[in-house]
Amino acid sequence: MDLLREIANRQTKFSSIQRKAQENPAEEFTSLAHHLTEEYLLTSFRKLRKNAASGIDEVNVHEYELDLLLRIENLHARLKSGGYHAPNIRRVWIDKGNGKQRPLGISTTEDKIVQRAVTDILNLIFEQDFYEFSYGFRPKRSAHQALVKLRNQCMKRNIKWILDCDIQGCFDNFDHSILLSLVSQRIKDKRILQLIKRWLTAGVVDGESLQISKKGTPQGNVISPLLCNIYMHYALDKWLHETVRPLLKGEIFLIRYADDFIIGFENEEDAHRVNNTLPKRMGKYGLTIHPQKSKLIRFSPNGKSKPPTFDFLGFTHYWSKSQKGNWVVKRKTRQKKMQAIIQKLKDTCKIHKHEKLKEQSKILKSKLRGLYQYFGIRGNFNSINRMYQIAIYAWFKWLNRRSQRKSYTWKGYGELLKYFKLPKPKIIHYNV
């Protein structure tokens, strides 16, 4: 009963925080850290992925759970006394699919708990400030919703120009002092601000080297997506919506997913004005618009054989005729993304070729279902069918390269596929 009463009281207090933040955009929250109770930290622990990688202490979620209550009690005591210090972050490098790699920061399990708790509390406040055209890493929002909105804006409004923007190393270049000042426009709790500062300046362990962060927030940190949204809300969203929009001649829209965004314009002059001003605006916040990856294009139906296209959220967007002869915006898997997917499917078959057939089948099924779940939108069947066909051929190839194993003929392989069936491509999202 005490636990149920604690949960009910917490929900009431959190509802009050949400209401205050929504009713008064200038409300400053001075007392939040006291919500980091042992019970709330336990709730935050339960939200962690069970298979999440461990940090520099090599303690994973399952190991942390062995002495969970004692660990949480000790963690709470340090948070309450101000003695909690963010541990160093373990850096790993993941393949981007274009021959390049990007860094990923992995915190300790304990630090993930604290970050999860603080992030959820801050979300109660900043979710009331964020605009509806921001979709990345927000509760009850998704990339598919952003894709629907983008398509509708292009088709139902008189949009003729698209500004496709890419911020160069966005997460790596956030100015710490600017970020803390933006957070403190709403948050005045010194203990919460101190935690955020410690996360921003935590050391990064890469192999045997230790680097102290002077700017940016590590991708992979639980709190980083929220900090990105706060930064971009003030640097871009609020500026474009409240300052720029009233000065333009025609219609305009913005769709943003974390640091990736598209701006649509009705008027060509408006498009060029914003395109010329945007780099200066981002520069004030220490950010740089990528000169090669960003472009302004005329995006409207025409009879050209190769009309302009743009890429967003893994898809190439283009105008085409529907079966009824109407101009519509269609989407297909971006070429570079497709190449990366194909390579990963081949690598998966190669890496697991010596495992039991049942295990290989299970892994490949999971990969394909995940791809269909994201890329299975209407009009993109050819792309996901290609993924399926690549998986079929790649598995056949690497099954026949296992040492001292009987080779499969296509006929024998066909019999095997009857038993270890791979999921066939299908459209999952008909309304996207």
Side-chain angles (χ1 to χ4, degrees):
M1 289 299 294
D2 290 339
L3 179 59
L4 293 175
R5 191 177 296 111
E6 160 70 22
I7 294 173
N9 289 338
R10 186 197 312 148
Q11 290 176 338
T12 300
K13 292 175 182 177
F14 284 175
S15 296
S16 176
I17 292 174
Q18 282 181 304
R19 186 172 60 255
K20 287 181 181 179
Q22 187 176 41
E23 293 175 351
N24 184 8
E27 180 82 27
E28 297 177 348
F29 294 84
T30 59
S31 181
L32 294 171
H34 68 279
H35 291 295
L36 299 175
T37 62
E38 291 184 31
E39 292 77 12
Y40 190 57
L41 293 172
L42 276 171
T43 301
S44 298
F45 170 79
R46 300 299 181 194
K47 292 181 179 180
L48 300 184
R49 290 188 297 108
K50 301 304 178 185
N51 62 344
S54 58
I56 59 170
D57 62 355
E58 299 183 349
V59 176
N60 61 34
V61 172
H62 296 290
E63 292 167 331
Y64 192 91
E65 193 171 18
L66 295 177
D67 296 309
L68 183 59
L69 295 181
L70 287 175
R71 289 179 185 271
I72 292 295
E73 182 181 358
N74 180 270
L75 173 60
H76 176 255
R78 283 178 284 137
L79 286 169
K80 190 174 182 180
S81 67
Y84 181 81
H85 295 279
N88 293 333
I89 297 167
R90 181 169 68 90
R91 173 177 285 171
V92 297
W93 295 86
I94 60 174
D95 185 17
K96 292 178 65 174
N98 56 0
K100 298 181 180 180
Q101 293 182 314
R102 67 180 176 90
L104 189 69
I106 301 178
S107 303
T108 64
T109 298
E110 183 172 80
D111 201 46
K112 290 174 186 174
I113 296 171
V114 184
Q115 288 191 41
R116 180 74 273 160
V118 172
T119 298
D120 288 345
I121 291 173
L122 295 186
N123 264 330
L124 297 171
I125 299 163
F126 286 102
E127 271 297 309
Q128 316 312 314
D129 297 344
F130 295 154
Y131 293 105
E132 56 86 21
F133 50 73
S134 167
Y135 290 90
F137 308 108
R138 294 180 59 190
K140 299 180 180 180
R141 286 181 168 256
S142 69
H144 290 113
Q145 291 175 334
L147 291 169
V148 171
K149 189 69 173 181
L150 175 58
R151 185 173 188 267
N152 289 341
Q153 293 282 51
C154 289
M155 291 180 57
K156 296 181 180 180
R157 301 177 69 178
N158 194 25
I159 299 299
K160 298 184 178 68
W161 294 85
I162 290 290
L163 181 55
D164 177 11
C165 293
D166 183 277
I167 297 179
Q168 203 164 0
C170 186
F171 279 81
D172 298 329
N173 290 294
F174 292 140
D175 184 291
H176 288 173
S177 61
I178 292 177
L179 177 53
L180 287 169
S181 70
L182 296 177
V183 173
S184 64
Q185 290 193 34
R186 282 294 228 168
I187 310 302
K188 299 297 183 182
D189 188 313
K190 293 182 179 180
R191 288 164 62 189
I192 296 294
L193 291 174
Q194 184 64 38
L195 281 173
I196 295 174
K197 184 177 181 180
R198 287 175 176 174
W199 284 321
L200 291 174
T201 57
V204 177
V205 178
D206 190 348
E208 296 182 356
S209 67
L210 173 64
Q211 302 172 6
I212 304 300
S213 303
K214 295 183 178 179
K215 62 179 180 177
T217 177
Q219 292 191 60
N221 262 9
V222 174
I223 200 170
S224 289
L226 172 60
L227 296 180
C228 173
N229 275 330
I230 293 172
Y231 207 91
M232 295 302 294
H233 171 76
Y234 288 102
L236 177 68
D237 301 357
K238 193 175 178 68
W239 169 73
L240 196 68
H241 184 72
E242 298 182 6
T243 303
V244 175
R245 183 188 295 269
L247 302 176
L248 302 182
K249 297 178 180 179
E251 291 192 70
I252 182 178
F253 75 78
L254 169 64
I255 303 292
R256 183 174 64 79
Y257 195 93
D259 59 331
D260 196 3
F261 60 95
I262 297 291
I263 308 176
F265 303 88
E266 175 187 9
N267 183 276
E268 181 179 359
E269 183 183 344
D270 291 341
H272 287 290
R273 287 177 62 190
V274 173
N275 188 35
N276 292 332
T277 306
L278 192 59
K280 300 175 186 176
R281 174 66 183 181
M282 293 296 101
K284 290 183 179 180
Y285 288 80
L287 302 177
T288 304
I289 299 294
H290 200 297
Q292 281 77 44
K293 295 183 179 180
S294 302
K295 61 182 179 179
L296 176 64
I297 63 169
R298 182 174 177 84
F299 189 71
S300 58
N302 58 64
K304 294 181 180 180
S305 58
K306 289 186 178 181
T309 65
F310 66 91
D311 299 323
F312 186 61
L313 297 180
F315 293 90
T316 294
H317 302 251
Y318 62 100
W319 282 100
S320 183
K321 287 287 188 72
S322 68
Q323 292 182 347
K324 295 181 179 180
N326 301 320
W327 284 104
V328 295
V329 174
K330 294 185 178 182
R331 289 76 48 89
K332 61 183 178 181
T333 305
R334 183 185 179 192
Q335 185 177 0
K336 287 186 177 180
K337 189 67 178 179
M338 178 62 82
Q339 292 171 348
I341 290 169
I342 289 173
Q343 190 59 52
K344 285 185 178 180
L345 287 171
K346 291 179 178 178
D347 290 344
T348 296
C349 294
K350 178 181 179 180
I351 293 169
H352 300 282
K353 66 180 179 179
H354 292 299
E355 296 183 22
K356 293 181 179 180
L357 290 177
K358 183 178 181 180
E359 185 63 25
Q360 291 187 52
S361 170
K362 180 180 178 181
I363 294 170
L364 207 48
K365 284 179 182 179
S366 177
K367 293 283 185 183
L368 287 172
R369 289 195 183 103
L371 290 169
Y372 301 160
Q373 187 62 39
Y374 186 79
F375 291 100
I377 67 174
R378 59 176 173 172
N380 196 41
F381 182 82
N382 287 342
S383 292
I384 59 175
N385 185 54
R386 188 182 176 199
M387 298 172 192
Y388 172 73
Q389 296 297 333
I390 290 295
I392 294 289
Y393 280 92
W395 199 20
F396 175 75
K397 172 184 175 179
W398 288 106
L399 282 177
N400 281 325
R401 293 200 177 185
R402 298 189 296 178
S403 60
Q404 299 178 349
R405 300 291 180 94
K406 182 180 179 180
S407 298
Y408 287 92
T409 63
W410 271 110
K411 183 177 179 180
Y413 182 56
E415 292 299 316
L416 180 138
L417 288 178
K418 290 180 181 179
Y419 187 75
F420 296 106
K421 293 181 180 179
L422 297 181
K424 292 187 176 181
K426 64 178 180 179
I427 300 301
I428 306 293
H429 308 282
Y430 284 96
N431 296 323
V432 174

